[in-house]
DNA sequence: TTGTAGGCGTTATCAA
DNA sequence: TTGATAACGCCTACAA
């Protein structure tokens, strides 16, 4: 509890018999210092475990080479594989990379401004979360930024922002259209509650459009919403909802859950009830998590090119930082990943 | 890109026609200020979207009420469910909570000291990672800290540290002993490479002890190590290793993978090969991820009481901060969670 | 109740 | 090649 972590640059200077600026020069690899004094100083620093105070540094510094990743939903498994991409790319470009989590009840813009002032950021990547009603507030940021898989675009605001995303409506359509092509007519949907504007409602829309295109009447009684007492987009939730679906006695030959995690729970509930997948009922998820391949049966899903999206986000940000205007919006094509969980609708 | 995020407290003071200290008082809810001036100031702050600079604040501040969670392995699914526990408990206790990721090649102690100086931390929780050879370096920290599920204890150092963990050897023993009780004699093990000192080697040790106790000769050819080209403790790795195991033609009636994620891959490889689980082969994992319940078959595992461990870590830290010495080491009991993937060894 | 001034630990500018 | 010294933006005695 004591320690001597309260050393300052002055202490080091005194210990070395030099001025503080010389110590600073040594630490920051300035050229105008003799190798001899530098060595001596570094040795003393080492011996005394001196670590400079970042608050003071950041305060004084006029700029840094730090890029921040602001992440809403730190425990979203969809984001897992993206970390190391951000990290590797930014390190390769000689940027520091800091991760800042944003709570769901927090305003990411405020967090961004605060952090940008504190760390003199060079750029910001927003990951997850939702776009705000008023796009204007983004103008308060005075560093380049990119939105990566941030929800709810399209309502005219899209053109004004730099972002990387997929077209949720279209991809959802693609998946449901595929289910229809297998002969499914009664496709249950599990999505987020109606009020929430987010991927849930977009994928819902794709579902509706696919039914329409295939001439299948929309049946609201086949639309199920995640339960609010349970974590959203979780296998627990998918399981609970599917139990309810099964108990309702409604007929269905396929279930589309708007996330892979949900789909795991859906599958378990179906298999437990004695149904075979896809023999009796097909199941499909959304996101393309690696884990879908290891479920048994492996689960058909829409695979978002996460790595490429992460790369594109970094790339876009670096170009913006470099002063190059670049494509402002980048919509990625996701791929229908057909696996074992979907098959022809059972004949009745 | 312009924005006016470069406002300072002086600007606000000037705009309001007051001194900077008055602005400071308004922002920090000091009592010695008239409601009238306070309102005016807050309005101006609001209007101009002024956000104070944290570096300056931290620099000046002599203490904060911030607790940091230093996390090694940010994408470890085992840690997912622990976040909100930390968050809720710390917020309830009126502490700020910041998350700091630590890279695998970074020294968590250095990161801790740096952060502690920068933010004037009140306490630190280390999550994941390994204890360093020299416990001495911890003395450089001058704030209370707790280690939570940090690997490799027992070698005499344990008594000196505040930590929360499980006894990996014992729990692993428990699981393998259970497999033996089902009649399994040829139990394959999938663990981390021999050099790595971590949970892998501890659980390996438990495996050996259980075989010994049950009078089963240890067969090194049944011990498999994760492949180094693939992410560790991942389903991909479990899958690849199991493929190799299958191709080797060796006989086995059960597989113990030292993490649940591995076990998913193991199961998939077995099922794909036409084997039934647990009819032809039992499978067991380790950690107790919720997802094990939703696999089909659900996977027998050792369930670590993650929530309770997180709570205990916070509790311990709060007591240390409060000045109360408390139990220095808290080893939690994990539970053998028997699910569908394990059954009697097949008769030959 | 309010304003002035000094200092938190750095870095950068300027002389020496 | 070095060493004083003035900022950086904020908080907090202290004085008014």
């Amino acid at each position: 509890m004591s320690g001597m972590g309260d050393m300052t640059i002055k202490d080091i200077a005194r210990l070395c018999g030099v001025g503080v600026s010389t110590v600073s020069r040594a630490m920051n690899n300035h050229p105008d210092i003799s190798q001899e004094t530098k060595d001596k100083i570094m040795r003393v620093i080492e011996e005394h475990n001196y670590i400079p105070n970042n608050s003071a540094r950041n305060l004084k510094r006029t700029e840094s080479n730090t890029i921040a990743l602001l992440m809403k939903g730190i425990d979203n498994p969809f984001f897992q594989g993206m970390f190391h991409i951000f990290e590797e790319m930014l390190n390769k470009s000689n940027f520091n990379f800091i991760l800042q989590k944003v709570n769901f009840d927090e305003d990411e813009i405020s967090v961004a401004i605060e952090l940008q002032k504190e760390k003199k950021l060079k750029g910001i990547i927003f990951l997850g979360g939702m776009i705000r009603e008023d796009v204007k507030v983004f103008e308060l940021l005075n560093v380049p930024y990119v939105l990566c898989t941030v929800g709810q675009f399209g309502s005219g605001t899209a053109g004004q922002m730099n972002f990387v995303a997929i077209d949720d409506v279209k991809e959802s359509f693609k998946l449901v259209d595929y289910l229809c092509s297998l002969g499914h007519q009664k496709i249950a949907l599990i999505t987020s509650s109606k009020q929430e504007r987010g991927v849930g409602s977009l994928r819902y829309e794709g579902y509706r459009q696919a039914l329409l295109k295939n001439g299948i009447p929309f049946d609201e009684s086949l639309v199920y919403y995640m339960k609010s007492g349970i974590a959203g987009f979780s296998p627990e939730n998918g399981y609970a909802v599917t139990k309810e679906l099964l108990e309702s006695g409604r007929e269905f030959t396929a279930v589309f859950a708007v996330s892979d995690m949900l789909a795991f729970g859906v599958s378990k509930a179906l298999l437990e009830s004695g149904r075979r997948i896809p023999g009796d009922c097909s199941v499909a998820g959304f996101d393309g998590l690696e884990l879908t391949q290891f479920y048994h049966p492996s689960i058909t899903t829409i695979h978002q090119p996460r790595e490429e999206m992460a790369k594109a986000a970094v790339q876009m940000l670096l170009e913006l930082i470099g002063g190059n205007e670049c494509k402002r919006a980048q919509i990625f094509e996701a791929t229908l990943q057909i696996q074992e969980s979907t098959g022809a609708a059972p004949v009745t």
Side-chain angles (χ1 to χ4, degrees), chain A:
Chain A
M1 204 80 111
S2 64
M4 38 207 295
D6 30 20
M7 275 219 174
T8 76
I9 196 173
K10 279 184 191 166
D11 298 318
I12 300 295
R14 193 163 18 76
L15 256 54
C16 296
V18 301
V20 289
S21 40
T22 307
V23 177
S24 177
R25 276 188 273 261
M27 290 193 299
N28 297 290
N29 291 315
H30 283 230
D32 51 349
I33 182 174
S34 75
Q35 191 59 43
E36 189 186 10
T37 32
K38 181 168 178 178
D39 290 345
K40 185 179 62 182
I41 292 172
M42 293 315 284
R43 189 152 29 79
V44 173
I45 286 180
E46 192 82 8
E47 279 171 10
H48 292 261
N49 292 103
Y50 164 69
I51 295 184
N53 182 316
N54 272 326
S55 291
R57 286 187 138 173
N58 292 330
L59 181 58
K60 181 63 194 175
R61 248 197 264 278
T62 160
E63 65 163 12
S64 75
N65 57 165
T66 301
I67 286 176
L69 176 68
L70 263 67
M71 175 155 180
K72 210 158 188 169
I74 190 89
D75 51 1
N76 185 339
F78 177 73
F79 294 143
Q80 297 311 345
M82 302 177 90
F83 275 119
H84 73 274
I85 306 263
F86 289 123
E87 188 133 43
E88 282 165 19
M89 286 193 71
L90 291 175
N91 286 344
K92 208 184 305 168
S93 314
N94 275 328
F95 280 100
N96 295 324
F97 165 50
I98 67 175
L99 171 68
Q100 170 72 46
K101 82 178 170 55
V102 181
N103 296 334
F104 279 106
D105 56 3
E106 260 179 329
D107 171 29
E108 44 262 81
I109 307 286
S110 298
V111 175
I113 296 176
E114 190 176 333
L115 200 64
Q116 177 259 307
K117 280 189 144 185
E118 179 178 341
K119 308 270 192 183
K120 307 278 160 49
L121 298 179
K122 263 281 180 27
I124 301 174
I125 297 175
F126 292 92
L127 186 60
M130 295 283 295
I131 200 173
R132 298 234 327 211
E133 307 288 329
D134 46 345
V135 186
K136 289 290 173 202
V137 293
F138 277 99
E139 292 174 6
L140 294 171
L141 291 175
N142 47 21
V143 290
Y145 62 90
V146 170
L147 308 182
C148 188
T149 68
V150 171
Q152 203 78 337
F153 282 102
S155 47
T157 68
Q160 307 164 39
M161 317 289 293
N162 307 300
F163 71 93
V164 170
I166 61 159
D167 184 336
D168 282 281
V169 176
K170 174 178 138 189
E171 303 301 342
S172 173
F173 174 91
K174 195 190 285 180
L175 175 61
V176 177
D177 190 44
Y178 164 70
L179 291 176
C180 294
S181 77
L182 292 172
H184 294 280
Q185 303 258 354
K186 297 182 186 305
I187 304 171
L189 173 72
I190 301 179
T191 186
S192 50
S193 81
K194 249 175 280 196
Q195 303 90 307
E196 311 215 17
R197 344 176 295 115
V199 292
S201 60
L202 295 173
R203 295 172 192 174
Y204 189 171
E205 179 57 24
Y207 165 86
R208 297 183 71 140
Q209 292 183 8
L211 293 188
L212 189 64
K213 177 216 163 193
N214 286 276
I216 298 171
F218 171 72
D219 177 0
E220 186 152 15
S221 73
L222 281 176
V223 178
Y224 279 75
Y225 300 98
M226 289 187 259
K227 297 197 176 297
S228 56
I230 313 175
F233 300 94
S234 67
E236 286 84 352
N237 219 316
Y239 183 82
V241 173
T242 306
K243 279 286 192 197
E244 194 177 302
L245 169 60
L246 288 169
E247 283 162 13
S248 77
R250 288 201 182 79
E251 281 182 31
F252 59 95
T253 65
V255 181
F256 169 34
V258 295
S259 91
D260 289 335
M261 280 290 162
L262 280 172
F264 292 134
V266 170
S267 302
K268 182 63 177 179
L270 291 173
L271 292 167
E272 242 179 33
S273 79
R275 283 174 177 70
R276 288 161 306 154
I277 301 176
D280 300 317
C281 179
S282 289
V283 174
F286 197 112
D287 278 344
L289 297 187
E290 275 71 25
L291 207 48
T292 57
Q293 304 167 34
F294 298 99
Y295 202 83
H296 193 73
S298 57
I299 294 174
T300 293
T301 182
I302 290 289
H303 182 264
Q304 301 197 47
R306 291 188 287 171
E307 287 80 3
E308 290 169 46
M309 291 167 76
K311 277 183 194 161
V314 174
Q315 194 60 43
M316 190 183 276
L317 185 62
L318 293 182
E319 289 186 22
L320 287 169
I321 291 173
N324 305 334
E325 279 307 300
C326 62
K327 213 194 303 172
R328 312 281 288 182
Q330 215 165 330
I331 304 288
F332 274 76
E333 186 85 13
T335 57
L336 172 59
Q337 192 173 353
I338 298 175
Q339 301 197 88
E340 300 162 351
S341 69
T342 46
V347 285
T348 42

